[in-house]
Amino acid sequence: MVDLDAATVALLKAYKRERGGMALQLARDDALVFGDQEGNHRHPERFSRGFQGQLGRCERAFEKVGREALPRIRVHDLRHTHATILIAGGKPLKMVAERLGHADPAITLRVYAHVIPGNQREAADWFAVLVASA
């Protein structure tokens, strides 16, 4: 279970209502928000192919307006982007680990150590003051 902000929840509810207009089974309270047309789970590979197709549409739109091409990403890369933004924003590693479903924050640390802000100058200055005052 992942907590979402109120604006995202409202957007997902609106999307679910819109899908509910297509078929009654999609309007049920227990219907999947991102299910297939029958309300069943989508196959991960099919979902990924659809995601890549949408990226292709975006890429063509960017080309039409003379913008640089978008980088090719996978659905799983969105998870990494989310984690990286949280870590770079100074959110506690334990919080990020919980959002990712990691049982141990050490897993998160190993995967995302390269984006954890390090301030070696501050550590050196702090330690020098500590030693000098001893």
Side-chain angles (χ1 to χ4, degrees), residues 34 42-52 75:
F34 293 114
R42 292 180 187 223
H43 191 280
E45 286 179 23
R46 188 169 182 182
F47 185 83
S48 291
R49 280 195 306 270
F51 180 78
Q52 289 302 318
V75 173

Side-chain angles (χ1 to χ4, degrees), residues 74-85 100 111-112:
R74 304 163 298 154
V75 173
H76 191 75
D77 295 330
L78 298 175
R79 172 185 167 90
H80 289 300
T81 300
H82 179 73
T84 301
I85 290 170
L100 295 174
V111 175
Y112 296 99

Side-chain angles (χ1 to χ4, degrees), residues 44-108:
E45 286 179 23
R46 188 169 182 182
F47 185 83
S48 291
R49 280 195 306 270
F51 180 78
Q52 289 302 318
Q54 292 298 325
L55 284 180
R57 286 183 53 217
C58 292
E59 196 169 71
R60 289 187 295 279
F62 267 55
E63 289 170 359
K64 284 182 183 177
V65 295
R67 299 283 306 269
E68 190 175 315
L70 296 171
R72 281 312 219 175
I73 62 171
R74 304 163 298 154
V75 173
H76 191 75
D77 295 330
L78 298 175
R79 172 185 167 90
H80 289 300
T81 300
H82 179 73
T84 301
I85 290 170
L86 289 173
I87 291 168
K91 296 303 173 203
L93 194 61
K94 181 163 177 14
M95 175 195 299
V96 177
E98 288 172 355
R99 288 189 67 78
L100 295 174
H102 292 165
D104 183 354
I107 297 167
T108 311

